[in-house]
Amino acid sequence: MVNRSAGADSRLRKLGPRVLAAIGRQEWLDRPSYRLEHLLSFAYNGLGDARDRVANALNGVWLGHPVHPPLASFASGALGTTVALDALSLLPGRPAAENVQAAQFASRSLGLGILASVGAAVTGVTDWQHTHDKDRRVGLVHGVVNTAATALYALSWWDRRRGRRLRGMATSALGYGVTLGGSYLGGALVFESGIGIDQSGQRLRNKDWTPVLPASALNGKPVRVEVDGVGLVVCQTKPGEVSAFGEFCPHLAAPMADGWVDRGRLVCPWHGSRFALDSGEVLRGPSTAPLPCYEARLVDGVIEVRGGEPALTSGDGVAK
C-alpha cells in the first residue's frame, strides 16, 4: 500500500512539468500569439498621449509590482466563496431561509469574481505581451483557459438570474475547476520563469568608494563594470555628473549595458522600460520595480561608486 501511494504521488508530481513541457514545445502557438500582441500594440498606440499612463497603471508601476497577481487572487477568492456557499446551501436539514440567503450571497460573490477576472485578464495580457518562447506559449494557454473559465462564470450568473440555480451552481463549479488548472500555469510562470519578479540581480553591498572606470571611457551609453563580483552599469547624466545602476533590468533581466540614455532616462534595450537617471525610479513600464541605483562620483577623471542599500526614492522620485 505504501509503495502504491508513493508511486501515485510521484506520477502526480511529474504530471505538471510534463504538461508545461508539452505546451512549451507547441511552436504553432507563436503565430496567433504574435498576432494578438500586434493587436494589443495597436490598441495601446491608439490611446495617443495617454498610452504610457494607461500601460503603467495596468503594469502596476504605481504599486511597485504587477497588478495581475492580486487581482487574480481576489477573483479566485470570490469564486471559491461562490462554490463554498453553493455547497452550503445544498446541505440537508438547513432552514429554507438560510439556503436562500446563501444563494443570494453566492450570486453576489460570483458577480465580484467575474469583474475581478476581467480585470485580471486585462492586466495579465498587458504583462504577457512582453514574454517570449516557452513562457509566451504557456502564458497564452493560461489566458485561454482562464477566459474559458470566466465564460462559464458568466453563463452561471445568467442561469442564476433566470432561476436556473442548480444549473448555475454546476457551471460555476466546473469553471472553478478550470480556474485551478489555469492557476497552475500562472504559478509556473511566476515561480519557475520569474515573470513579474524583480530580476535586477545581486546588490552591491560594499560601502567604500571604489574606482571603476576612467571618465574618458564613457561614450554616451551605459558601460558595464564589476565591483566585488557584482555587475553595474555607469553612464553620464549631465556634464561632470555620472550615475551607477544594477546591470539587469528588473523586468526580465535585460542587460542594461545594451540600453541607452534618452532625455534624462535610461532605457531598457528589450522592452523599453524607462528609468530616471537620478534615482532609478520607473518612469515607464513594463518594469514595475525600480532599477537599483548607487552613489557615483568623478574624482580626478575617474568614476568611483559605492554600494550599500540601493538609493530609495520618495513618491515624487527624489532621492532620500
Side-chain angles (χ1 to χ4, degrees), residues 10 13 17 32 61 67 69-70 80 111 137 149 164 168 174 178 184 191 200 229 237-238 251 261 278 281-282 292:
S10 177
R13 284 195 299 270
V61 173
V67 182
R137 297 162 195 155
R164 299 187 287 265
L174 176 61
V178 175
Y184 177 83
F191 297 111
S200 54
T237 56
K238 299 176 182 177
H251 178 227
V261 176
D278 60 348
E281 176 193 14
V282 182

Side-chain angles (χ1 to χ4, degrees), residues 59-112:
N59 283 133
V61 173
W62 57 276
L63 188 60
H65 65 72
V67 182
H68 176 69
L71 275 177
S73 296
F74 182 83
S76 181
L79 296 166
T81 299
T82 299
V83 174
L85 288 172
D86 285 340
L88 184 65
S89 68
L90 293 176
L91 291 177
R94 285 171 50 85
E98 292 184 6
N99 287 337
V100 170
Q101 189 176 42
Q104 290 174 342
F105 280 117
S107 295
R108 292 170 185 170
S109 63
L110 177 61
L112 283 175

Side-chain angles (χ1 to χ4, degrees), residues 2-17:
V2 174
N3 290 337
R4 289 180 181 177
S5 177
D9 289 344
S10 177
R11 289 192 295 271
L12 184 60
R13 284 195 299 270
K14 293 178 181 178
L15 177 61

Side-chain angles (χ1 to χ4, degrees), residues 142 145-146 176-186:
H142 167 70
V145 168
N146 284 337
Y176 195 66
V178 175
T179 293
L180 293 178
S183 297
Y184 177 83
L185 299 178

Side-chain angles (χ1 to χ4, degrees), residues 263-274:
R263 293 173 291 179
R265 301 170 295 180
L266 183 59
V267 183
C268 170
W270 286 1
H271 303 115
S273 293
R274 287 164 168 74

Side-chain angles (χ1 to χ4, degrees), residues 201-204 206 224-232 247-248:
Q202 187 178 359
R203 302 297 199 260
L204 178 64
N206 186 344
R224 185 186 185 277
V225 298
E226 192 170 299
V227 179
D228 293 343
V230 179
L232 308 174
E247 70 168 325
F248 297 118

